[in-house]
Amino acid sequence: MSILLWLVVEGSDDERFIERIIKPLLANHSIQTYRWAQKSRQQRTQFIQNIQKLDCAYFVLADKDTRPCIRDCKAFVQQQFGGVVPAERIVVVDGAIEAWYLAGFTGSPYLRGIQPPARTDGITKQMFLQQYVPAGKLPSSVLEEMLANYDLALARQHNHSLEYFCRRLGIL
């Protein structure tokens, strides 16, 4: 019997990461995703209230972006969900989800010259686009290529928030 787990993500890049990297590692879970960034506050609140009524496990992922600290980001997310999400259910990506992609990238002939830094904490989407997307390449194709050449164990060493997320999910 599988355990239902909802991962409430901001958008398609987060969802792609969950589907390709996280979901295969949680075979005893039925992982469902819900994209929250394009929904209204009312829709978000209703969704969380529904999964709480069903007593489903869930986590809300949110990019820290340029917010000064994790506490401020969690407060922002709670406000976006009408106050129904407890802080312990929010996982903050330090920077943006692209930092998690970059953290585990092992190299590729398609993306020659991309050298991930020793720590990817704090890398925002704008930094990623400016520094790690080669001219003429679509960001989505760069992200796909990174996932095709990805090492989660390495990524966990390079990014604190990814390590925290994996531990919260029970991924050893």
Side-chain angles (χ1 to χ4, degrees), residues 116-134:
R119 301 287 327 156
T120 64
D121 305 295
I123 292 180
T124 65
K125 184 173 190 120
Q126 294 74 22
M127 291 167 64
F128 178 80
L129 293 173
Q130 291 171 356
Q131 297 173 30
Y132 299 102
V133 176

Side-chain angles (χ1 to χ4, degrees), residues 20 143-150:
R20 295 274 305 274
L143 293 174
E144 283 289 341
E145 185 68 11
M146 286 182 162
L147 292 181
N149 298 279
Y150 198 83

Side-chain angles (χ1 to χ4, degrees), residues 4-170:
L4 179 59
L5 173 65
W6 280 96
L7 296 175
V8 183
V9 299
E10 286 190 61
S12 60
D13 293 341
D14 308 60
E15 187 173 46
R16 180 185 304 116
F17 185 87
I18 296 300
E19 291 292 326
R20 295 274 305 274
I21 303 301
I22 301 300
K23 193 174 184 176
L25 298 172
L26 296 171
N28 61 331
H29 288 76
S30 173
I31 308 290
Q32 298 295 317
T33 57
Y34 175 84
R35 292 190 212 172
W36 67 267
Q38 300 300 316
K39 308 284 189 207
S40 70
R41 180 175 297 145
Q42 181 181 3
Q43 289 172 311
R44 293 178 204 137
T45 302
Q46 186 65 52
F47 176 77
I48 295 297
Q49 288 172 331
N50 287 340
I51 62 175
Q52 288 172 339
K53 284 177 190 170
L54 296 172
D55 200 28
C56 294
Y58 72 97
F59 289 100
V60 177
L61 272 73
D63 294 342
K64 181 176 168 241
D65 293 325
T66 58
R67 292 179 192 88
C69 65
I70 289 173
R71 183 180 54 227
D72 285 354
C73 186
K74 286 185 175 189
F76 169 78
V77 172
Q78 287 175 313
Q79 183 263 337
Q80 293 297 306
F81 282 85
V84 298
V85 177
E88 64 271 8
R89 289 278 147 215
I90 301 169
V91 175
V92 176
V93 178
D94 190 356
I97 193 71
E98 288 79 6
W100 287 8
Y101 281 80
L102 191 58
F105 177 58
T106 59
S108 154
Y110 178 72
L111 300 175
R112 279 182 286 234
I114 293 181
Q115 296 296 323
R119 301 287 327 156
T120 64
D121 305 295
I123 292 180
T124 65
K125 184 173 190 120
Q126 294 74 22
M127 291 167 64
F128 178 80
L129 293 173
Q130 291 171 356
Q131 297 173 30
Y132 299 102
V133 176
K137 306 256 191 242
L138 293 173
S140 60
S141 66
V142 170
L143 293 174
E144 283 289 341
E145 185 68 11
M146 286 182 162
L147 292 181
N149 298 279
Y150 198 83
D151 180 338
L152 182 61
L154 177 69
R156 291 174 73 168
Q157 294 172 17
H158 290 240
N159 190 285
H160 288 112
S161 61
L162 178 57
E163 170 62 17
Y164 174 77
F165 180 61
C166 288
R167 280 188 285 117
R168 289 295 309 264
L169 294 177

